[in-house]
Amino acid sequence: MNYKNYLYLTVSSLLAGMLLMSLQKKWIILNFKPSYLEQTLPKANFHKKMVSLFCWKNQTWSCEKNEILWCPDQASNLNNLIQAWLVLLEEEKITPVKINLQAAMVNANQQTAYISFDQSLFSKDASTYQKLMTIEALLKTLRENGINIPNIQFLTQHKHSKDGHLDFSNPWPLIGFLK
Amino acid sequence: MLFKLKKTIISLMVSLSNPWLLLLHTSLILPFTIMLDPAGNGKNIGRSLHDNFERGATLQFAQELQKQLKIYYPQVNVIISRSSGQKLEKLQSASFANRLNVDLFLNLGFYKEHNVKPNLFLYQFKNQSFFANHNQDFLHFYPYHQAFVFNYDKTKHIIGLMQKHLQHPDYKHYFTCHQSLEIPFKPLSGIISPAIGIEIGLKHNGYEPYIMPIIHSLAEVIYEL
């Protein structure tokens, strides 16, 4: 073997080593689309939809339009809709702190939706009426945007929401309690 | 006749030895019993108001209401669900009201009012089970959260009478009484008797302006029932 071959072998080994080190140190990331992803992603066509978000402010309903992603999956729509609604509450300073949605799920027979927040939606000194109108605003938002799940169970940290004035141990009807 | 007399003597003796039974006994003798349930207790201070907390203010309000009710309606028996510093467990007030079989249960709550004109709200208990179809053909148990169904219409009638009086133009200068609401109001959960929640937005002038309107709003309720 002549010197030329040794040189090729050394350079190629060096390049291979550099490549492997780059991969190990995650300087180069190779991203191959996994086969399971193709199966789980819904084939449905996502589209943008203009939704109406409601909140109770200054003794009246306030409505804001927003554009969110919409698909035939109810749980996914519920998730996107509530995320947008929580942003509205934060912007309007209705909630004392930023509330995050942990999960929004629908049961198998599409009769009950489970909505879990990371903390309570209400400030501890709020009146029952103010608390009620916050919940009614969410129910109105769901109704007006075509979510037709008859019962909504409110959760905090994946457990029944606890409040001294409003009872969340049972699901609330989507139609709400206002006449 | 002798048996009845014996029974009354025994019941009186038992009542005197036990204050709970004495209350029960008096509630049987007097024609109308009202239970006042001030919000908060020894474990729960309630909401913060202008310079105090809800549990103290509601208890004082209940005591003042009791005093005035005894003056205006001597035939009425008024009971307060808790004393100062008493710790209550979940549903304890409801259990107390059910055992005494009171004619009217009034939960009293305050919050700090930020609006110029204070608000007064009246609540009646109603939850999702109201919309469900109740099978009344068979004997069955009712869970505590369905206790309200027994006196739903009666409560609706009472709350209507109170609302009508509290919305009188004479009081419009002092406060706004809103349309009564039927909601899952937790302090009224598990009560069989007609139960009403009164929530008042308190300003710096305290609860005094609300005592007489509430006393007068109960007049028609007491005489009609």
Side-chain angles (χ1 to χ4, degrees):
Chain A
M1 197 182 276
N2 58 17
Y3 287 109
K4 210 174 180 179
N5 289 341
Y6 279 123
L7 186 70
Y8 287 143
L9 196 65
T10 310
V11 170
S12 57
S13 301
L14 183 72
L15 286 172
M18 282 168 71
L19 184 70
L20 286 170
M21 189 184 168
S22 305
L23 284 170
Q24 194 194 15
K25 295 276 182 188
K26 292 186 181 173
W27 295 335
I28 297 172
I29 296 167
L30 297 176
N31 189 10
F32 299 106
K33 195 176 176 183
S35 58
Y36 67 84
L37 205 62
E38 282 180 17
Q39 289 164 5
T40 53
L41 271 176
K43 299 264 190 278
N45 48 344
F46 283 83
H47 64 278
K48 283 183 178 177
K49 186 185 173 184
M50 192 65 83
V51 293
S52 306
L53 306 169
F54 293 89
C55 67
W56 180 258
K57 203 177 179 190
N58 300 328
Q59 306 296 315
T60 185
W61 289 115
S62 167
C63 179
E64 193 177 287
K65 299 275 180 192
N66 204 342
E67 210 172 40
I68 64 165
L69 274 178
W70 202 260
C71 72
D73 179 35
Q74 290 259 49
S76 173
N77 293 337
L78 202 62
N79 207 313
N80 294 338
L81 197 57
I82 296 169
Q83 299 270 19
W85 180 75
L86 287 171
V87 171
L88 174 71
L89 290 200
E90 195 195 352
E91 284 171 0
E92 296 289 334
K93 294 185 171 54
I94 292 169
T95 49
V97 287
K98 190 181 184 321
I99 314 286
N100 295 307
L101 179 70
Q102 288 185 318
M105 288 173 284
V106 183
N107 72 346
N109 62 2
Q110 303 278 310
Q111 291 298 302
T112 307
Y114 296 89
I115 300 170
S116 179
F117 300 102
D118 66 341
Q119 54 190 302
S120 172
L121 285 170
F122 322 116
S123 68
K124 62 183 175 66
D125 292 334
S127 67
T128 308
Y129 187 70
Q130 186 60 46
K131 292 176 185 182
L132 174 74
M133 294 316 281
T134 305
I135 294 294
E136 289 288 346
L138 174 55
L139 297 175
K140 188 176 170 71
T141 301
L142 300 181
R143 285 196 305 269
E144 298 285 324
N145 293 295
I147 300 284
N148 52 4
I149 301 158
N151 304 310
I152 311 290
Q153 179 73 65
F154 294 101
L155 308 168
T156 305
Q157 297 280 357
H158 304 289
K159 292 176 184 167
H160 288 299
S161 296
K162 282 183 183 167
D163 182 72
H165 302 103
L166 293 178
D167 186 8
F168 294 109
S169 56
N170 292 297
W172 280 50
L174 183 68
I175 54 168
F177 286 100
L178 297 180
K179 287 168 191 167
Chain B
M1 184 70 189
L2 191 69
F3 175 73
K4 271 188 180 176
L5 187 69
K6 256 182 163 179
K7 204 177 162 187
T8 314
I9 291 163
I10 290 165
S11 74
L12 261 171
M13 281 168 72
V14 172
S15 303
L16 289 169
S17 65
N18 189 333
W20 288 81
L21 288 168
L22 177 66
L23 280 172
L24 178 66
H25 192 83
T26 48
S27 73
L28 289 171
I29 295 164
L30 291 168
F32 200 89
T33 308
I34 299 176
M35 180 178 276
L36 302 175
D37 179 41
N41 61 65
K43 281 199 288 193
N44 173 21
I45 57 169
R47 292 169 279 200
S48 62
L49 304 173
H50 293 281
D51 51 1
N52 54 353
F53 289 101
E54 194 181 11
R55 72 169 169 198
T58 52
L59 184 63
Q60 286 170 7
F61 183 59
Q63 286 166 343
E64 189 58 36
L65 271 181
Q66 186 184 37
K67 197 171 127 189
Q68 296 299 327
L69 278 166
K70 280 180 178 170
I71 295 168
Y72 280 84
Y73 316 111
Q75 78 281 20
V76 172
N77 184 27
V78 186
I79 300 159
I80 297 178
S81 64
R82 67 173 173 92
S83 55
S84 178
Q86 189 183 350
K87 290 175 184 173
L88 295 182
E89 295 302 320
K90 190 187 167 193
L91 294 171
Q92 194 171 324
S93 294
S95 170
F96 190 13
N98 290 343
R99 268 186 288 165
L100 293 184
N101 193 21
V102 296
D103 297 290
L104 182 62
F105 181 95
L106 292 178
N107 173 266
L108 309 167
F110 289 150
Y111 68 92
K112 193 200 277 187
E113 186 62 81
H114 298 288
N115 294 327
V116 178
K117 196 173 165 188
N119 296 294
L120 188 149
F121 300 97
L122 297 172
Y123 303 117
Q124 176 182 357
F125 191 88
K126 182 164 119 178
N127 64 10
Q128 174 69 323
S129 62
F130 181 82
F131 303 102
N133 292 323
H134 299 289
N135 188 353
Q136 293 176 346
D137 296 339
F138 303 102
L139 186 67
H140 64 281
F141 286 107
Y142 278 87
Y144 76 92
H145 63 262
Q146 284 180 15
F148 74 98
V149 297
F150 294 101
N151 282 301
Y152 175 78
D153 292 329
K154 197 173 174 184
T155 312
K156 201 171 180 175
H157 178 65
I158 294 171
I159 212 168
L161 293 173
M162 285 183 74
Q163 184 193 307
K164 194 179 152 191
H165 186 86
L166 292 167
Q167 285 179 339
H168 194 273
D170 288 354
Y171 303 132
K172 275 193 178 165
H173 179 70
Y174 303 105
F175 59 84
T176 306
C177 176
H178 291 256
Q179 178 76 28
S180 63
L181 292 162
E182 295 170 12
I183 58 169
F185 188 58
K186 211 172 187 178
L188 306 181
S189 177
I191 300 165
I192 296 168
S193 307
I196 293 167
I198 303 174
E199 190 175 50
I200 298 167
L202 272 202
K203 304 284 284 183
H204 285 286
N205 58 355
Y207 55 73
E208 281 80 11
Y210 302 98
I211 291 169
M212 291 327 288
I214 291 173
I215 296 287
H216 292 145
S217 73
L218 290 169
E220 216 175 327
V221 176
I222 292 165
Y223 291 114
E224 200 170 298
L225 299 175

